[in-house]
Amino acid sequence: MRVFTLLWTVGIVLKEAQAWGFKNGIFHNSIWLEQAAGVYHRESRKGRYQLTYKEAKAVCKYEGGKLATYEQLEAARQIGFHVCAAGWFDKGRVGYPIVKSGANCGFGKIGIIDYGYRLNKSEKWDVYCYNPNSKECGGVLTDQQKIIQSPGFPEEYQDEQICYWHIRVRLGQRIHLHFLEFDVEDDTSCLADYLDVYDSYDDVSGFAGRFCGDYIPDDIISTGNVMTLKFLSDSSVTAGGFQLEYTVINVPLIPHNCTDCFHLPMV
Ligand SMILES: *[C@@H]1O[C@H](CO)[C@@H](O)[C@H](O)[C@H]1NC(C)=O
Ligand SMILES: *[C@@H]1O[C@H](CO)[C@@H](O)[C@H](O)[C@H]1NC(C)=O
C-alpha cells in the first residue's frame, strides 16, 4: 500500500488555489459527470454554470475531445442521455438533452432544450464534450453496493484513460471499499498509472491514498457519505487493472465538521 503523505498535505493546503490549473501533472478544472455515446457532461470545480465558452473548449480539449455537436448530443440523448443542466456545445450553442419530461427541467419538453447560439461568449454554463475514443468509465454511483472496475476489465486497461467515480450514498451512511484484484503499472512514486481515493465529493480535497503496483490495498472506509475514485493511465505500459467493491455501512457519522459532505437530494 502506498500512501504519499506529501501529496496529501499538498492536496489540503492548495484546496482553493488549485481549483483551476495543474496539480501532480493533472489539469484540475472540472468534475466528470454523466456520459453516453462519446458525449459527456462536465461542470467546473467551482460548481454549476461557471465555464465561459473559451474555458468550456479547454475542458474538452484537455482529454483529446471537442465540444459536442448538436447531432452528437442528440444521438446520445436517443440512447438515454438525460441531463438537467445547460452546457456549451459546438459553435457557441447552449442547451441540454432531455429524455423524460418533468416539471422541474426542460419546460415539460423532450429533446435538446436549445438556448441557441450565444452572442455573449462570456456567459457561464456547463459543457458537453465529445470524444469517441474515451472509454465508458466512471460516473456518479448512488447504489448501496457496486463493483467498480478499471475500463475493459478483466482485459488490460488501455493507455490514456481518465475515469472518475463519484460515490454518493445517503446521509448517515459511510462507504466501505474492499479491493478484490489490483494490478496497475508499478513505478516508484505511482506517477505513471494510478488509482487515487478521496474521502470527498471531488478530487480536490480529502486525499486518502494513491495506489499502483500489484499489492491489494487495504480496505478504506469513508468518514462521510461521499467518496471519489480517480484512475489515470499514461501513454505507455498498461497492466491487468483492478476490481473493487463498495458497500454502505449504516452507522452514525463520526462527529466532525462535515464541510465536504454531499447532501444527496431525497428522491
Ligand atoms: C456577458 O456575460 C457576462 C457573464 O454573464 C456578463 O458579465 C456581461 O455583462 C455580458 N456582456 C454583455 C455585453 O452583455
Ligand atoms: C467544529 O468547528 C468549530 C469551530 O472551528 C469547533 O468549535 C467545534 O468544536 C467543531 N466541532 C467538531 C465536532 O469538531
Side-chain angles (χ1 to χ4, degrees):
M1 168 157 162
R2 297 163 195 274
V3 176
F4 291 91
T5 49
L6 174 67
L7 294 176
W8 185 80
T9 311
V10 169
I12 298 301
V13 171
L14 300 181
K15 183 175 173 180
E16 287 308 318
Q18 289 283 357
W20 287 79
F22 284 86
K23 189 178 95 183
N24 309 333
I26 307 299
F27 192 47
H28 280 254
N29 57 354
S30 59
I31 297 179
W32 184 286
L33 300 166
E34 311 80 359
Q35 63 175 341
V39 174
Y40 53 96
H41 165 225
R42 285 196 151 203
E43 69 180 20
S44 164
R45 293 229 169 268
K46 290 183 272 183
R48 176 171 281 197
Y49 299 163
Q50 297 290 335
L51 298 169
T52 65
Y53 184 55
K54 194 176 165 193
E55 289 167 341
K57 276 201 284 195
V59 164
C60 298
K61 196 177 170 198
Y62 172 65
E63 284 140 17
K66 284 182 174 170
L67 289 169
T69 64
Y70 184 95
E71 290 70 27
Q72 286 159 352
L73 196 55
E74 173 60 14
R77 194 193 67 81
Q78 287 185 5
I79 60 167
F81 193 59
H82 173 97
V83 185
C84 192
W88 291 104
F89 53 99
D90 193 37
K91 298 193 168 67
R93 210 162 167 181
V94 168
Y96 53 100
I98 290 300
V99 173
K100 290 169 292 188
S101 71
N104 303 328
C105 195
F107 315 103
K109 285 187 260 178
I110 288 176
I112 305 295
I113 308 302
D114 191 356
Y115 292 3
Y117 298 95
R118 311 308 294 171
L119 293 176
N120 184 352
K121 301 289 193 288
S122 303
E123 287 178 2
K124 293 180 177 180
W125 304 99
D126 290 354
V127 62
Y128 290 97
C129 306
Y130 177 72
N131 182 353
N133 301 318
S134 69
K135 282 277 161 200
E136 299 279 321
C137 66
V140 178
L141 311 178
T142 56
D143 297 322
Q144 298 279 290
Q145 172 269 335
K146 190 118 185 162
I147 301 272
I148 294 176
Q149 298 174 328
S150 49
F153 191 90
E155 302 294 316
E156 291 200 348
Y157 59 82
Q158 294 177 8
D159 291 333
E160 295 188 314
Q161 300 296 316
I162 300 180
C163 314
Y164 288 89
W165 292 270
H166 301 282
I167 308 172
R168 298 169 175 179
V169 296
R170 292 186 202 122
L171 207 56
Q173 293 186 324
R174 293 164 70 192
I175 300 156
H176 182 164
L177 299 187
H178 175 63
F179 290 84
L180 302 166
E181 293 186 55
F182 201 83
D183 178 16
V184 170
E185 179 191 355
D186 199 5
D187 80 63
T188 47
S189 48
C190 288
L191 290 175
D193 298 355
Y194 57 81
L195 176 71
D196 272 352
V197 176
Y198 295 84
D199 188 19
S200 164
Y201 74 95
D202 67 14
D203 63 339
V204 175
S205 59
F207 181 74
R210 170 168 293 187
F211 307 97
C212 69
D214 56 9
Y215 292 105
I216 295 193
D218 292 338
D219 288 11
I220 301 174
I221 298 176
S222 66
T223 56
N225 63 326
V226 295
M227 266 191 146
T228 296
L229 275 60
K230 176 171 77 181
F231 173 66
L232 183 139
S233 65
D234 70 2
S235 58
S236 66
V237 187
T238 67
F242 63 85
Q243 186 178 32
L244 62 94
E245 180 177 33
Y246 82 79
T247 50
V248 300
I249 305 177
N250 287 294
V251 292
L253 285 169
I254 293 173
H256 72 304
N257 283 323
C258 195
T259 51
D260 277 321
C261 290
F262 177 85
H263 295 254
L264 195 67
M266 292 298 166
V267 184

